[in-house]
Amino acid sequence: MPDSTPMALKLNTRKPQRITITVSWSLYQSLLDTSDEQGRSLSNIAAYWLERQSELG
């Protein structure tokens, strides 16, 4: 049975997606402190935490 999903849609769903969220000041500070300690960007730390949480839950 052939897949009728357009190729553009298939490719679009495989690339990383950007989101915007609002977090508490304390969570922001925690993310910022961790990113400074590890020399990684704030967005990279946030993405890592979200991915890790999705694996655990």
Side-chain angles (χ1 to χ4, degrees), residues 12-55:
N12 191 30
T13 58
R14 293 184 181 189
K15 68 180 183 178
Q17 299 296 308
R18 182 179 301 257
I19 63 170
T20 302
I21 62 170
T22 302
V23 298
S24 66
W25 183 86
S26 61
L27 178 56
Y28 173 78
Q29 280 302 128
S30 183
L31 286 165
L32 196 57
D33 291 344
T34 302
S35 71
D36 286 343
E37 290 169 8
Q38 296 184 11
R40 297 162 65 180
S41 69
L42 183 63
S43 63
N44 180 265
I45 293 294
Y48 171 76
W49 282 9
L50 288 169
E51 288 175 14
R52 186 168 174 230
Q53 186 60 38
S54 71
E55 292 171 0

